[in-house]
């Protein structure tokens, strides 16, 4: 058995830079093409803020088949009561198939300075206010 070693001792900065740029551009084009071809919009949830409906949530993204079905919880930060009601609007803004088989609005009374979060097990919990990290 004979071995053949090929070794190149010279380098070309222009070729190296060109090849690197070409690979990066191809990767970017591939990522953009995949994102555009698989773009799935969720139903958009608009909440009444006291004067108008404003965008507030985009739950369960990509649930386009029964196998991708799941529960999702969204905080509606802009929702305000009007005449004893909590008006929301759910809208499909892209021509696509989405399956929404249950919508429920949970209202949680909580102390000022706390936040409420769903735990994924159909219950809520209060969380203390967190301050942002100033450094590590």
């Amino acid at each position: 058995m004979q071995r053949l070693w090929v070794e190149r001792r010279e380098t070309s900065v222009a070729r190296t830079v060109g090849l690197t740029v070409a690979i990066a551009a191809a990767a970017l084009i591939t990522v953009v093409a995949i994102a555009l071809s698989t773009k799935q919009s969720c139903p958009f949830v608009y909440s009444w803020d006291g004067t108008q409906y404003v965008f507030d949530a985009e739950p369960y993204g990509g649930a386009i088949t029964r196998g991708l079905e799941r529960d999702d919880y969204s905080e509606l930060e802009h929702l305000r009561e009007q005449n004893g009601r909590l008006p929301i609007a759910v809208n499909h803004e892209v021509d696509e198939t989405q399956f929404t088989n249950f919508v429920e609005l949970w209202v949680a009374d909580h102390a000022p300075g706390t936040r409420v979060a769903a735990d994924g097990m159909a219950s809520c919990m209060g969380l203390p206010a967190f301050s942002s990290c100033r450094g590590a």
Side-chain angles (χ1 to χ4, degrees):
M1 174 186 238
Q2 292 184 350
R3 292 185 183 177
L4 176 64
W5 295 93
V6 177
E7 183 177 341
R8 185 172 187 161
R9 292 192 181 261
E10 65 183 70
T11 58
S12 169
V13 174
R15 279 192 229 159
T16 303
V17 170
L19 183 59
T20 304
V21 169
I23 291 171
L28 179 63
I29 289 169
T30 302
V31 168
V32 169
I34 290 170
L36 291 176
S37 66
T38 60
K39 169 71 175 104
Q40 296 297 326
S41 166
C42 314
F44 296 113
V45 179
Y46 293 87
S47 298
W48 183 257
D49 72 354
T51 58
Q52 64 183 354
Y53 283 98
V54 295
F55 175 77
D56 220 352
E58 188 177 359
Y60 58 91
I64 57 173
T65 67
R66 185 179 276 289
L68 297 174
E69 180 179 303
R70 64 187 174 281
D71 292 338
D72 202 351
Y73 304 93
S74 299
E75 180 180 356
L76 304 178
E77 295 180 24
H78 302 289
L79 185 59
R80 301 293 177 265
E81 181 182 351
Q82 180 173 356
N83 300 326
R85 299 182 139 202
L86 294 168
I88 63 169
V90 179
N91 190 17
H92 292 276
E93 298 186 6
V94 177
D95 185 20
E96 64 185 6
T97 301
Q98 285 283 347
F99 299 96
T100 302
N101 52 8
F102 184 72
V103 175
E104 183 175 49
L105 180 64
W106 293 0
V107 178
D109 290 325
H110 57 88
T114 60
R115 294 190 63 125
V116 176
D119 66 1
M121 304 296 287
S123 64
C124 292
M125 67 181 89
L127 302 172
F130 296 101
S131 60
S132 60
C133 182
R134 301 259 186 248

